[in-house]
Amino acid sequence: MGTLNPTNQSEVFSIRYVLLTGMLLLIVFATACSNTTDQETEQDNGDENTEEGKSEKDENRTADDSGNEKGANNESEETSKTKEPDVMNERKVIAKKLEQPWEIAFVDDTFYISERTGSIVTIQNEELIRKPVEFNQNLSSQPEAGLLGIAIPDDFKETNTAFAYYSYQEDEQFFQRVVTIEEADDSWIETSILLDEIPGGQYHQGGRIEIGPDGKLYITTGDAVMPELAQDLDSLAGKILRMNLDGTMPDDNPFNDSYVYSYGHRNPQGLAWGPENEFYATEHGSNAYDEVNHIKPGNNYGWPVIRGDETAENMKIPVVHSGEDTWAPSGMTYYRGNFYFASLRGEGLRKFDPMNETVELIVSDVGRVRDVYAAEAGLYLITNNTDGRGEPAVDDDKLIFIPIPKNQLH
């Protein structure tokens, strides 16, 4: 074996030193890179957390600006589609081109809508059929007169017989009457008179009829522009009347031998009962001062002696009134804790909260509203823009469904 000389040994050592130094430098560099990568990864995670925090702040700010909590909307798409609406704007037009509609009745999935012009419209599965009513007297042409209220009893499918309230003229006098009517193939026919010669006039015809929870027929009558008749118990004007469905007087009416249930009314047009049979009525006041009254048998509601907050002995003041504003209230219904009533000149649908005794306008973009009906899913209303006092659209008048959001229920 040969040997290396010193010069060669020095060269080998130098080479080894360089190689060792290089390896050390590579190890140090690799370690540094590894630490840097870990730090960058931590920084990336930190930025992600910061963005998430920023997003939450932005959502909170958005919620503050809009008044809505977005957190309440974190639901699956399926849940979002099936939940009830939170705002009252998901409405549906059920029928169009009604002619001066006045009252909504509903039996066995069919709507029955009276028209002042003398017809009854049936609506089933959004199909509209109009049939004239063959009256024994000619309809009055006075303002606010004509075919007004209708009531459909539960046994209608067996009897084809309903109730109606209409205005007529005889010689120079105007009256209203309550009758039974029977549906035929192409028309309705007046079959019997239950109550006749209710005073009529140029205005204030009353006209609402409803079958109450006690199975009796309730009828509103106006003062026929003769205010003194509202205080006269011998007159049928300015009253809420109560009768048996065969036209006889109930034995438990508050006044002997009388249909009068309450009196001192100017022009009541809405009747509704709550779950405990609490009974309310809407009433047109004079020069505003429209009313919602809690009706009890035998009570005197003051017209024309008092109005608004005025008081007098043995006379009842309204639960709420409009003051100097105008509601022009008409039909009324009860739905899950509140009463709702139509407004004519006041244009819209209003909610009356009987617990707090407050009134709130909840629909204001459909014009005049004549009546409202409560169903399981919400309310149905009829507009009244074709009655000569509104501004009808091309397809007026309408039957419209209005869903009521849960946050407006008691």
Side-chain angles (χ1 to χ4, degrees), residues 374-394:
E376 181 63 27
L379 304 176
Y380 292 84
L381 63 82
I382 45 175
T383 61
N384 202 205
N385 298 312
T386 60
D387 68 349
R389 298 177 178 177
E391 297 180 0
V394 174

Side-chain angles (χ1 to χ4, degrees), residues 356-377:
N356 298 307
E357 297 183 351
T358 57
V359 172
E360 175 187 359
L361 179 65
I362 60 171
V363 174
S364 60
D365 58 351
V366 295
R368 296 165 61 84
V369 179
R370 173 61 73 177
D371 195 18
V372 56
Y373 176 86
E376 181 63 27

Side-chain angles (χ1 to χ4, degrees), residues 20-233:
L20 181 60
T21 301
M23 291 176 64
L24 289 172
L25 289 172
L26 286 172
I27 291 171
V28 171
F29 181 78
T31 301
C33 289
S34 176
N35 290 339
T36 301
T37 302
D38 289 344
Q39 290 173 357
E40 289 175 352
T41 302
E42 287 180 4
Q43 185 63 42
D44 287 343
N45 288 337
D47 289 343
E48 183 179 339
N49 290 334
T50 300
E51 288 299 321
E52 183 178 344
K54 182 178 179 181
S55 177
E56 289 176 353
K57 291 177 182 177
D58 286 347
E59 286 182 4
N60 288 338
R61 185 175 66 248
T62 302
D64 291 341
D65 291 343
S66 66
N68 299 318
E69 294 182 5
K70 284 195 174 183
N73 295 326
N74 291 334
E75 299 169 313
S76 69
E77 183 178 353
E78 182 177 357
T79 303
S80 178
K81 286 180 179 178
T82 58
K83 75 175 219 173
E84 292 191 16
D86 290 328
V87 292
M88 187 180 290
N89 60 7
E90 299 179 22
R91 61 185 70 169
K92 181 179 181 181
V93 175
I94 306 300
K96 302 176 182 179
K97 295 187 178 299
L98 301 173
E99 298 173 2
Q100 301 180 40
W102 215 90
E103 179 145 10
I104 307 170
F106 184 82
V107 174
D108 294 336
D109 299 323
T110 302
F111 287 99
Y112 297 84
I113 298 177
S114 64
E115 296 179 322
R116 276 180 50 204
T117 51
S119 298
I120 293 176
V121 171
T122 60
I123 302 167
Q124 187 175 35
N125 298 323
E126 302 186 24
E127 180 183 0
L128 185 151
I129 298 174
R130 177 177 285 109
K131 295 181 181 180
V133 182
E134 298 177 14
F135 296 110
N136 293 336
Q137 295 278 5
N138 293 325
L139 285 180
S140 169
S141 60
Q142 294 288 86
E144 304 176 8
L147 171 58
L148 304 180
I150 57 172
I152 310 293
D154 290 338
D155 64 354
F156 175 74
K157 291 299 181 182
E158 289 75 43
T159 66
N160 280 353
T161 298
F163 303 93
Y165 179 109
Y166 76 92
S167 313
Y168 68 95
Q169 180 177 355
E170 190 172 66
D171 298 326
E172 299 298 321
Q173 294 183 294
F174 298 94
F175 299 103
Q176 272 80 228
R177 62 169 44 163
V178 180
V179 300
T180 60
I181 55 175
E182 184 176 338
E183 185 178 21
D185 290 339
D186 300 316
S187 65
W188 295 72
I189 302 168
E190 180 180 337
T191 53
S192 69
I193 301 171
L194 301 182
L195 186 60
D196 202 0
E197 295 190 353
I198 299 168
Q202 186 172 7
Y203 303 106
H204 304 175
Q205 323 293 352
R208 192 68 55 190
I209 62 174
E210 301 287 353
I211 299 173
D214 57 359
K216 309 299 183 183
L217 187 66
Y218 290 78
I219 304 135
T220 71
T221 67
D223 68 6
V225 203
M226 293 178 280
E228 67 279 4
L229 295 183
Q231 291 294 318
D232 182 357
L233 286 174

